[in-house]
Amino acid sequence: MRISRIVRQTSVKRGDEWTLTVSTIQVDFRAYETTVFDDTPDKRLEGWLLGDRIVETTVDKASTREEAMAQHREALYAARTETPKPPAN
């Protein structure tokens, strides 16, 4: 049985430059996923690097809520302190 419920969602906005959402969901009894989403209207940051994550692509998986919240905090810190960079060509 898949639960798929939002555990925590946090938006990070940098002026008119960009808006990201860090989302952690519970996808099963002991399974959580954290992803950083691009909420800019033109989705221009999709696939860009944010620290060691790729926006809209990297999914951090956890088996406990505590681990999931630690990953959420790490992703949120990166969203607040890092500037997204385009992928290397």
Side-chain angles (χ1 to χ4, degrees):
M1 177 175 102
R2 272 183 91 78
I3 297 170
S4 292
R5 68 178 184 90
I6 296 170
V7 176
R8 180 152 306 149
Q9 263 187 341
T10 310
S11 291
V12 176
K13 184 174 175 130
R14 183 172 294 171
D16 292 333
E17 295 176 54
W18 46 263
T19 303
L20 300 171
T21 297
V22 178
S23 179
T24 299
I25 61 171
Q26 183 176 11
V27 294
D28 212 340
F29 180 64
R30 288 195 174 124
Y32 298 83
E33 297 179 350
T34 299
T35 306
V36 178
F37 293 99
D38 176 10
D39 287 333
T40 58
D42 59 0
K43 301 290 187 197
R44 67 182 173 272
L45 302 177
E46 189 172 332
W48 284 38
L49 301 173
L50 183 67
D52 61 351
R53 291 171 173 79
I54 301 173
V55 176
E56 301 259 355
T57 302
T58 301
V59 178
D60 295 319
K61 297 178 184 278
S63 58
T64 67
R65 183 179 174 90
E66 292 78 22
E67 190 180 319
M69 291 299 89
Q71 290 174 345
H72 186 92
R73 285 188 297 274
E74 290 170 10
L76 184 57
Y77 180 78
R80 288 178 173 160
T81 62
E82 302 279 334
T83 298
K85 295 177 179 58
N89 290 329

Coordinates of all heavy atoms in Angstrom, one line a residue:
M1 N 0.8 -1.2 0.0 CA 0.0 0.0 0.0 C 0.9 1.3 0.0 O 1.7 1.4 0.8 CB -0.9 0.0 1.3 CG -1.7 1.2 1.4 SD -2.9 1.0 2.8 CE -2.0 2.1 4.0
R2 N 0.7 2.1 -1.0 CA 1.4 3.4 -1.0 C 0.6 4.5 -0.3 O -0.5 4.7 -0.5 CB 1.7 3.8 -2.5 CG 2.9 3.2 -3.0 CD 3.2 3.7 -4.4 NE 4.0 4.9 -4.6 CZ 5.3 4.9 -4.4 NH1 6.0 3.9 -4.1 NH2 6.0 6.1 -4.7
I3 N 1.4 5.2 0.6 CA 0.7 6.2 1.4 C 0.8 7.6 0.6 O -0.2 8.2 0.5 CB 1.4 6.3 2.8 CG1 1.2 5.0 3.5 CG2 0.9 7.5 3.5 CD1 2.1 4.9 4.8
S4 N 2.0 7.9 0.2 CA 2.3 9.2 -0.5 C 1.6 10.4 0.2 O 0.6 10.9 -0.3 CB 1.8 9.1 -2.0 OG 2.6 8.2 -2.7
R5 N 2.2 10.8 1.3 CA 1.7 12.0 1.9 C 2.8 12.9 2.2 O 4.0 12.5 2.4 CB 1.0 11.7 3.2 CG 1.8 11.1 4.3 CD 1.0 10.9 5.6 NE 1.9 10.5 6.7 CZ 2.5 11.3 7.5 NH1 2.3 12.6 7.4 NH2 3.3 10.8 8.5
I6 N 2.6 14.2 2.1 CA 3.6 15.3 2.4 C 3.9 15.3 3.9 O 3.0 15.4 4.7 CB 3.1 16.6 1.9 CG1 2.8 16.6 0.4 CG2 4.1 17.7 2.3 CD1 2.1 17.9 -0.1
V7 N 5.2 15.2 4.1 CA 5.7 15.3 5.5 C 6.1 16.7 5.8 O 5.8 17.3 6.8 CB 6.9 14.3 5.8 CG1 7.4 14.5 7.2 CG2 6.4 12.9 5.5
R8 N 6.8 17.3 4.9 CA 7.2 18.7 5.0 C 7.5 19.3 3.6 O 8.1 18.7 2.8 CB 8.5 18.8 5.9 CG 8.9 20.3 6.0 CD 9.7 20.6 7.3 NE 8.9 20.2 8.5 CZ 9.5 19.8 9.6 NH1 10.8 19.7 9.7 NH2 8.8 19.4 10.6
Q9 N 7.1 20.5 3.4 CA 7.4 21.3 2.2 C 7.7 22.7 2.6 O 7.0 23.3 3.4 CB 6.1 21.4 1.3 CG 6.1 20.3 0.2 CD 5.0 20.6 -0.7 OE1 4.0 21.2 -0.5 NE2 5.2 19.9 -1.9
T10 N 8.9 23.2 2.1 CA 9.3 24.5 2.4 C 9.7 25.2 1.1 O 10.5 24.7 0.3 CB 10.6 24.4 3.3 OG1 10.3 23.5 4.4 CG2 10.9 25.8 3.9
S11 N 9.2 26.4 0.9 CA 9.6 27.2 -0.2 C 10.7 28.2 0.1 O 10.8 28.7 1.2 CB 8.4 28.1 -0.7 OG 7.4 27.3 -1.2
V12 N 11.6 28.3 -0.9 CA 12.7 29.2 -0.7 C 12.7 30.2 -2.0 O 12.8 29.7 -3.1 CB 14.1 28.5 -0.7 CG1 15.2 29.4 -0.6 CG2 14.1 27.5 0.5
K13 N 12.6 31.5 -1.7 CA 12.5 32.4 -2.8 C 13.7 33.4 -2.7 O 14.0 33.9 -1.6 CB 11.2 33.2 -2.7 CG 11.0 34.1 -3.8 CD 9.6 34.8 -3.7 CE 9.4 35.8 -4.8 NZ 8.3 35.7 -5.6
R14 N 14.3 33.6 -3.8 CA 15.4 34.6 -3.9 C 14.9 35.7 -4.8 O 15.1 35.7 -6.1 CB 16.7 34.0 -4.4 CG 17.8 35.1 -4.4 CD 19.1 34.6 -4.7 NE 19.6 33.7 -3.6 CZ 20.7 33.0 -3.7 NH1 21.4 33.1 -4.8 NH2 21.1 32.2 -2.7
G15 N 14.3 36.8 -4.2 CA 13.8 37.9 -5.0 C 13.0 37.5 -6.2 O 12.1 36.6 -6.1
D16 N 13.3 38.1 -7.4 CA 12.6 37.7 -8.6 C 13.4 36.6 -9.4 O 13.0 36.3 -10.5 CB 12.3 38.9 -9.5 CG 11.3 39.8 -8.8 OD1 10.5 39.4 -8.1 OD2 11.4 41.0 -9.1
E17 N 14.6 36.2 -8.8 CA 15.5 35.3 -9.5 C 14.9 33.9 -9.7 O 14.9 33.4 -10.7 CB 16.8 35.3 -8.9 CG 17.6 36.6 -8.9 CD 18.9 36.4 -8.1 OE1 19.7 35.5 -8.4 OE2 19.1 37.2 -7.2
W18 N 14.5 33.3 -8.5 CA 14.0 32.0 -8.6 C 13.3 31.6 -7.3 O 13.4 32.3 -6.3 CB 15.1 30.9 -8.8 CG 16.3 31.1 -8.0 CD1 17.5 31.7 -8.5 CD2 16.6 30.7 -6.7 NE1 18.5 31.6 -7.5 CE2 17.9 31.0 -6.4 CE3 15.9 30.0 -5.7 CZ2 18.5 30.7 -5.2 CZ3 16.5 29.7 -4.5 CH2 17.8 30.1 -4.3
T19 N 12.4 30.6 -7.4 CA 11.8 30.0 -6.2 C 11.9 28.5 -6.3 O 11.7 27.9 -7.3 CB 10.3 30.4 -6.2 OG1 10.1 31.8 -6.3 CG2 9.5 29.8 -5.0
L20 N 12.3 27.9 -5.2 CA 12.5 26.5 -5.1 C 11.6 26.0 -4.0 O 11.3 26.7 -3.0 CB 14.0 26.1 -4.8 CG 15.0 26.5 -5.8 CD1 16.4 26.3 -5.2 CD2 14.8 25.8 -7.1
T21 N 11.2 24.7 -4.1 CA 10.5 24.1 -3.0 C 11.2 22.8 -2.6 O 11.5 22.0 -3.5 CB 9.0 23.7 -3.4 OG1 8.3 24.9 -3.6 CG2 8.3 23.0 -2.3
V22 N 11.5 22.7 -1.3 CA 12.1 21.4 -0.8 C 10.9 20.6 -0.3 O 10.2 21.1 0.6 CB 13.1 21.7 0.3 CG1 13.7 20.4 0.9 CG2 14.3 22.6 -0.2
S23 N 10.8 19.4 -0.8 CA 9.6 18.6 -0.5 C 10.0 17.2 0.0 O 10.8 16.5 -0.6 CB 8.7 18.4 -1.7 OG 7.6 17.6 -1.4
T24 N 9.5 16.8 1.2 CA 9.7 15.5 1.7 C 8.4 14.8 1.9 O 7.5 15.4 2.5 CB 10.4 15.6 3.1 OG1 11.7 16.2 2.9 CG2 10.7 14.2 3.7
I25 N 8.3 13.7 1.2 CA 7.0 12.9 1.3 C 7.3 11.5 1.8 O 8.4 11.0 1.7 CB 6.3 12.8 -0.1 CG1 7.2 12.1 -1.1 CG2 5.9 14.2 -0.6 CD1 6.6 11.8 -2.4
Q26 N 6.3 10.9 2.4 CA 6.3 9.6 2.8 C 5.6 8.8 1.7 O 4.5 9.0 1.4 CB 5.6 9.3 4.2 CG 5.7 7.9 4.7 CD 5.0 7.8 6.0 OE1 4.3 8.6 6.5 NE2 5.2 6.6 6.6
V27 N 6.4 7.8 1.1 CA 5.9 7.1 0.0 C 5.4 5.7 0.4 O 4.8 5.0 -0.4 CB 6.9 7.0 -1.2 CG1 7.1 8.4 -1.7 CG2 8.2 6.4 -0.7
D28 N 5.8 5.2 1.6 CA 5.4 3.9 2.0 C 5.6 3.9 3.5 O 6.0 4.9 4.1 CB 6.2 2.8 1.4 CG 5.4 1.5 1.2 OD1 4.4 1.3 1.9 OD2 5.8 0.7 0.3
F29 N 5.3 2.8 4.2 CA 5.4 2.7 5.6 C 6.7 3.2 6.2 O 6.8 4.0 7.1 CB 5.1 1.3 6.1 CG 5.2 1.1 7.6 CD1 4.2 1.8 8.4 CD2 6.1 0.3 8.2 CE1 4.3 1.6 9.8 CE2 6.2 0.1 9.5 CZ 5.3 0.8 10.3
R30 N 7.8 2.7 5.6 CA 9.2 3.1 6.1 C 10.0 3.6 4.9 O 11.1 3.2 4.7 CB 9.9 2.0 6.8 CG 9.3 1.7 8.1 CD 10.2 0.8 9.0 NE 9.7 0.7 10.3 CZ 9.5 -0.5 10.9 NH1 9.7 -1.6 10.2 NH2 9.0 -0.5 12.1
A31 N 9.4 4.5 4.1 CA 10.1 5.0 3.0 C 9.7 6.5 2.8 O 8.5 6.9 2.7 CB 9.7 4.2 1.7
Y32 N 10.8 7.4 2.7 CA 10.6 8.8 2.5 C 11.5 9.3 1.4 O 12.5 8.7 1.1 CB 11.0 9.5 3.8 CG 10.2 9.2 5.0 CD1 10.5 8.0 5.8 CD2 9.2 10.0 5.4 CE1 9.8 7.7 6.9 CE2 8.4 9.6 6.6 CZ 8.7 8.5 7.3 OH 8.0 8.2 8.4
E33 N 11.0 10.3 0.7 CA 11.8 10.9 -0.4 C 11.8 12.4 -0.2 O 10.8 13.0 0.0 CB 11.2 10.5 -1.7 CG 11.2 9.0 -2.0 CD 10.6 8.6 -3.3 OE1 10.0 9.5 -4.0 OE2 10.8 7.5 -3.7
T34 N 13.0 13.0 -0.5 CA 13.2 14.4 -0.4 C 13.7 14.9 -1.8 O 14.7 14.3 -2.3 CB 14.2 14.9 0.7 OG1 13.6 14.5 1.9 CG2 14.4 16.4 0.7
T35 N 13.1 15.9 -2.4 CA 13.4 16.4 -3.7 C 13.3 17.9 -3.6 O 12.5 18.5 -2.9 CB 12.5 15.9 -4.8 OG1 12.4 14.5 -4.7 CG2 12.9 16.3 -6.2
V36 N 14.2 18.6 -4.4 CA 14.1 20.1 -4.6 C 13.4 20.3 -5.9 O 13.9 19.8 -7.0 CB 15.5 20.7 -4.5 CG1 15.4 22.2 -4.8 CG2 16.2 20.4 -3.2
F37 N 12.3 21.1 -5.9 CA 11.6 21.4 -7.1 C 11.8 22.9 -7.5 O 11.9 23.7 -6.7 CB 10.1 21.2 -6.9 CG 9.8 19.7 -6.7 CD1 9.6 19.2 -5.5 CD2 9.7 18.9 -7.8 CE1 9.3 17.9 -5.3 CE2 9.4 17.5 -7.6 CZ 9.2 17.0 -6.3
D38 N 11.8 23.1 -8.8 CA 11.9 24.4 -9.4 C 10.5 25.0 -9.6 O 9.6 24.5 -10.3 CB 12.5 24.3 -10.8 CG 12.6 25.6 -11.5 OD1 12.3 26.7 -10.9 OD2 13.0 25.6 -12.7
D39 N 10.2 26.1 -8.8 CA 8.9 26.7 -8.9 C 8.9 28.0 -9.7 O 7.9 28.8 -9.6 CB 8.3 27.0 -7.5 CG 7.9 25.7 -6.9 OD1 7.5 24.7 -7.6 OD2 7.9 25.6 -5.6
T40 N 10.0 28.3 -10.4 CA 10.0 29.5 -11.3 C 9.0 29.2 -12.4 O 8.8 28.1 -12.9 CB 11.4 29.7 -11.9 OG1 11.8 28.6 -12.6 CG2 12.4 30.1 -10.8
P41 N 8.3 30.3 -12.9 CA 7.3 30.1 -13.9 C 7.8 29.3 -15.2 O 7.1 28.6 -15.8 CB 6.8 31.5 -14.2 CG 7.1 32.3 -13.0 CD 8.4 31.7 -12.5
D42 N 9.0 29.6 -15.6 CA 9.5 29.0 -16.8 C 10.4 27.7 -16.6 O 10.9 27.1 -17.5 CB 10.4 30.0 -17.6 CG 11.6 30.5 -16.8 OD1 11.8 30.1 -15.7 OD2 12.3 31.3 -17.4
K43 N 10.4 27.3 -15.3 CA 11.1 26.0 -15.0 C 12.6 26.0 -15.4 O 13.1 25.0 -15.8 CB 10.4 24.8 -15.5 CG 9.0 24.7 -15.0 CD 9.0 24.3 -13.5 CE 7.6 24.0 -13.0 NZ 7.5 24.0 -11.6
R44 N 13.2 27.2 -15.5 CA 14.6 27.3 -16.0 C 15.6 26.6 -15.2 O 16.7 26.3 -15.7 CB 14.9 28.7 -16.2 CG 15.1 29.5 -15.0 CD 15.4 31.0 -15.3 NE 15.4 31.8 -14.1 CZ 14.4 32.4 -13.6 NH1 13.2 32.2 -14.1 NH2 14.5 33.1 -12.5
L45 N 15.4 26.3 -13.9 CA 16.4 25.6 -13.1 C 16.3 24.1 -13.0 O 17.1 23.4 -12.4 CB 16.2 26.2 -11.6 CG 16.4 27.7 -11.5 CD1 16.2 28.1 -10.0 CD2 17.7 28.1 -12.0
E46 N 15.3 23.6 -13.8 CA 15.2 22.1 -13.8 C 16.5 21.5 -14.4 O 16.9 21.9 -15.5 CB 14.0 21.7 -14.7 CG 13.7 20.3 -14.6 CD 12.4 19.9 -15.3 OE1 11.5 20.8 -15.4 OE2 12.2 18.8 -15.8
G47 N 17.1 20.6 -13.7 CA 18.3 19.9 -14.1 C 19.6 20.6 -13.7 O 20.7 20.2 -13.9
W48 N 19.4 21.8 -13.0 CA 20.6 22.6 -12.6 C 21.1 22.0 -11.3 O 20.4 21.3 -10.5 CB 20.2 24.0 -12.3 CG 20.1 24.8 -13.6 CD1 19.5 24.4 -14.8 CD2 20.4 26.2 -13.8 NE1 19.6 25.4 -15.7 CE2 20.1 26.5 -15.1 CE3 21.0 27.1 -13.0 CZ2 20.4 27.8 -15.6 CZ3 21.3 28.4 -13.5 CH2 20.9 28.7 -14.8
L49 N 22.4 22.2 -11.0 CA 23.0 21.7 -9.8 C 22.8 22.7 -8.6 O 22.9 23.9 -8.7 CB 24.5 21.6 -10.0 CG 25.0 20.7 -11.1 CD1 26.5 20.8 -11.4 CD2 24.6 19.3 -10.8
L50 N 22.5 22.1 -7.5 CA 22.3 22.8 -6.2 C 23.1 22.1 -5.2 O 22.6 21.1 -4.6 CB 20.8 22.9 -5.9 CG 20.5 23.8 -4.6 CD1 20.8 25.2 -4.9 CD2 19.0 23.6 -4.2
G51 N 24.3 22.5 -4.9 CA 25.2 21.7 -4.1 C 25.4 20.4 -4.7 O 25.8 20.3 -5.9
D52 N 25.1 19.3 -4.0 CA 25.3 18.0 -4.6 C 24.0 17.4 -5.2 O 24.0 16.2 -5.5 CB 26.0 17.0 -3.6 CG 25.2 16.8 -2.4 OD1 24.2 17.5 -2.2 OD2 25.5 15.9 -1.6
R53 N 23.0 18.2 -5.3 CA 21.7 17.7 -5.8 C 21.5 18.3 -7.2 O 22.0 19.3 -7.6 CB 20.6 18.2 -4.9 CG 20.6 17.5 -3.6 CD 19.6 18.2 -2.6 NE 19.5 17.4 -1.4 CZ 20.4 17.5 -0.4 NH1 21.4 18.3 -0.5 NH2 20.2 16.8 0.7
I54 N 20.6 17.7 -8.0 CA 20.2 18.2 -9.2 C 18.7 18.5 -9.1 O 17.9 17.6 -8.7 CB 20.4 17.1 -10.4 CG1 21.8 16.8 -10.5 CG2 19.8 17.7 -11.7 CD1 22.1 15.7 -11.5
V55 N 18.3 19.7 -9.3 CA 16.9 20.2 -9.1 C 16.0 19.4 -10.0 O 16.3 19.1 -11.2 CB 16.8 21.7 -9.5 CG1 15.4 22.2 -9.4 CG2 17.7 22.6 -8.6
E56 N 14.9 18.9 -9.4 CA 13.9 18.1 -10.0 C 14.3 16.7 -10.3 O 13.5 15.9 -10.9 CB 13.3 18.7 -11.3 CG 12.7 20.1 -11.0 CD 11.2 20.1 -11.0 OE1 10.6 19.1 -11.2 OE2 10.7 21.2 -10.7
T57 N 15.6 16.3 -10.1 CA 16.1 15.0 -10.5 C 16.5 14.1 -9.3 O 16.1 13.0 -9.1 CB 17.2 15.1 -11.5 OG1 16.7 15.8 -12.6 CG2 17.7 13.7 -11.9
T58 N 17.3 14.7 -8.4 CA 17.9 14.0 -7.2 C 16.8 13.7 -6.2 O 16.0 14.6 -5.8 CB 19.0 14.8 -6.6 OG1 20.0 15.0 -7.5 CG2 19.6 14.0 -5.4
V59 N 16.6 12.5 -5.8 CA 15.7 12.1 -4.8 C 16.5 11.4 -3.7 O 17.0 10.3 -3.9 CB 14.6 11.1 -5.4 CG1 13.7 10.6 -4.3 CG2 13.9 11.7 -6.5
D60 N 16.5 12.1 -2.5 CA 17.1 11.5 -1.4 C 16.1 10.5 -0.7 O 15.0 11.0 -0.4 CB 17.6 12.6 -0.4 CG 18.7 13.5 -1.0 OD1 19.6 12.9 -1.6 OD2 18.6 14.7 -0.8
K61 N 16.5 9.3 -0.5 CA 15.6 8.3 0.1 C 16.0 8.1 1.6 O 17.2 8.1 1.9 CB 15.6 7.0 -0.7 CG 15.1 7.2 -2.1 CD 15.2 6.0 -2.9 CE 14.7 6.2 -4.3 NZ 13.3 6.2 -4.5
A62 N 15.0 7.8 2.4 CA 15.3 7.6 3.8 C 14.3 6.5 4.3 O 13.2 6.4 3.8 CB 15.1 8.8 4.7
S63 N 14.7 5.8 5.4 CA 13.8 4.7 5.9 C 13.2 5.1 7.2 O 12.3 4.4 7.7 CB 14.6 3.4 6.0 OG 15.7 3.6 6.8
T64 N 13.6 6.2 7.8 CA 13.0 6.7 9.0 C 12.6 8.2 8.9 O 13.3 8.9 8.1 CB 14.0 6.6 10.3 OG1 15.1 7.5 10.1 CG2 14.4 5.1 10.4
R65 N 11.7 8.6 9.7 CA 11.3 10.0 9.6 C 12.5 10.9 10.1 O 12.7 12.0 9.5 CB 10.1 10.3 10.5 CG 9.6 11.7 10.5 CD 8.3 11.9 11.4 NE 8.0 13.2 11.5 CZ 7.1 13.8 10.6 NH1 6.5 13.1 9.7 NH2 6.8 15.1 10.8
E66 N 13.2 10.5 11.1 CA 14.3 11.3 11.5 C 15.4 11.5 10.4 O 15.9 12.6 10.2 CB 15.0 10.7 12.8 CG 14.1 10.7 14.0 CD 13.0 9.6 14.0 OE1 13.2 8.6 13.2 OE2 12.0 9.8 14.7
E67 N 15.7 10.5 9.7 CA 16.6 10.5 8.6 C 16.1 11.4 7.5 O 16.8 12.2 6.9 CB 16.9 9.1 8.1 CG 18.0 9.0 7.1 CD 18.1 7.5 6.6 OE1 18.0 6.6 7.5 OE2 18.3 7.3 5.4
A68 N 14.8 11.3 7.2 CA 14.2 12.1 6.2 C 14.2 13.6 6.6 O 14.5 14.5 5.7 CB 12.7 11.7 6.0
M69 N 14.0 13.9 7.8 CA 14.0 15.3 8.3 C 15.4 15.9 8.2 O 15.6 17.0 7.9 CB 13.4 15.5 9.7 CG 11.9 15.2 9.7 SD 10.9 16.4 8.7 CE 10.8 15.5 7.2
A70 N 16.4 15.1 8.5 CA 17.8 15.5 8.4 C 18.1 15.8 6.9 O 18.7 16.8 6.6 CB 18.8 14.4 8.9
Q71 N 17.6 15.0 6.0 CA 17.8 15.2 4.6 C 17.1 16.5 4.1 O 17.6 17.3 3.3 CB 17.4 14.0 3.7 CG 18.3 12.8 3.9 CD 17.8 11.6 3.2 OE1 16.6 11.5 2.8 NE2 18.7 10.6 3.0
H72 N 15.9 16.7 4.6 CA 15.1 17.9 4.3 C 15.9 19.1 4.8 O 16.0 20.1 4.0 CB 13.7 17.8 5.0 CG 12.8 18.9 4.6 ND1 12.0 18.8 3.5 CD2 12.7 20.2 5.1 CE1 11.3 20.0 3.4 NE2 11.7 20.8 4.3
R73 N 16.4 19.1 6.0 CA 17.2 20.3 6.5 C 18.4 20.5 5.6 O 18.7 21.7 5.3 CB 17.6 20.0 7.9 CG 16.4 20.2 8.9 CD 16.9 20.2 10.4 NE 17.5 18.9 10.7 CZ 16.8 17.9 11.2 NH1 15.5 17.9 11.3 NH2 17.4 16.7 11.5
E74 N 19.1 19.5 5.2 CA 20.3 19.6 4.3 C 19.9 20.2 3.0 O 20.6 21.1 2.5 CB 21.0 18.3 4.1 CG 21.7 17.7 5.4 CD 22.1 16.3 5.2 OE1 22.1 15.7 4.0 OE2 22.5 15.7 6.2
A75 N 18.9 19.7 2.4 CA 18.4 20.3 1.1 C 17.9 21.7 1.3 O 18.2 22.6 0.4 CB 17.3 19.4 0.5
L76 N 17.3 22.0 2.4 CA 16.8 23.4 2.6 C 18.0 24.3 2.8 O 18.0 25.4 2.3 CB 15.9 23.4 3.8 CG 15.2 24.7 4.2 CD1 14.4 25.2 3.0 CD2 14.4 24.5 5.4
Y77 N 19.0 23.9 3.5 CA 20.2 24.7 3.7 C 20.8 25.0 2.4 O 21.2 26.1 2.1 CB 21.2 24.0 4.6 CG 22.4 24.8 4.9 CD1 22.4 25.8 5.8 CD2 23.6 24.5 4.2 CE1 23.6 26.6 6.0 CE2 24.7 25.2 4.4 CZ 24.7 26.3 5.3 OH 25.9 27.0 5.5
A78 N 20.9 24.0 1.5 CA 21.5 24.2 0.2 C 20.7 25.2 -0.6 O 21.2 26.1 -1.3 CB 21.6 22.9 -0.6
A79 N 19.3 25.0 -0.6 CA 18.5 25.9 -1.3 C 18.6 27.4 -0.8 O 18.5 28.3 -1.6 CB 17.0 25.5 -1.2
R80 N 18.9 27.6 0.5 CA 18.9 28.9 1.0 C 20.3 29.5 0.8 O 20.5 30.7 0.8 CB 18.6 28.9 2.5 CG 17.2 28.7 2.8 CD 16.9 28.6 4.3 NE 15.5 28.5 4.6 CZ 14.9 28.1 5.7 NH1 15.7 27.7 6.7 NH2 13.6 28.1 5.8
T81 N 21.4 28.7 0.7 CA 22.7 29.2 0.7 C 23.5 29.1 -0.6 O 24.4 29.8 -0.9 CB 23.6 28.6 1.8 OG1 23.7 27.2 1.6 CG2 23.0 28.8 3.2
E82 N 23.1 28.2 -1.4 CA 23.7 27.9 -2.7 C 23.0 28.6 -3.8 O 21.8 28.8 -3.8 CB 23.8 26.4 -3.0 CG 24.4 25.6 -2.0 CD 26.0 25.6 -2.1 OE1 26.5 25.8 -3.2 OE2 26.6 25.3 -1.1
T83 N 23.7 29.0 -4.9 CA 23.2 29.5 -6.1 C 23.1 28.3 -7.1 O 24.1 27.7 -7.4 CB 24.0 30.7 -6.7 OG1 24.0 31.7 -5.7 CG2 23.4 31.2 -7.9
P84 N 21.9 28.0 -7.7 CA 21.9 27.0 -8.7 C 22.8 27.3 -9.8 O 22.9 28.4 -10.3 CB 20.4 27.0 -9.1 CG 19.7 27.6 -8.0 CD 20.6 28.6 -7.4
K85 N 23.5 26.2 -10.3 CA 24.4 26.3 -11.4 C 23.9 25.4 -12.6 O 23.5 24.3 -12.3 CB 25.8 25.9 -11.0 CG 26.4 26.9 -9.9 CD 27.7 26.4 -9.5 CE 28.4 27.3 -8.4 NZ 27.6 27.5 -7.3
P86 N 24.1 25.9 -13.8 CA 23.7 25.1 -14.9 C 24.6 23.9 -15.0 O 25.8 23.9 -14.6 CB 23.9 26.0 -16.2 CG 24.8 27.1 -15.7 CD 24.6 27.2 -14.2
P87 N 24.1 22.8 -15.5 CA 24.9 21.6 -15.7 C 26.1 21.8 -16.6 O 26.0 22.6 -17.6 CB 24.0 20.5 -16.2 CG 22.8 21.2 -16.8 CD 22.8 22.6 -16.1
A88 N 27.2 21.1 -16.4 CA 28.3 21.2 -17.3 C 27.9 20.5 -18.7 O 27.3 19.5 -18.7 CB 29.5 20.5 -16.7
N89 N 28.3 21.2 -19.7 CA 28.0 20.6 -21.1 C 29.1 19.7 -21.6 O 30.2 19.7 -21.4 CB 27.8 21.7 -22.1 CG 26.5 22.5 -21.8 OD1 25.5 21.9 -21.3 ND2 26.4 23.7 -22.1

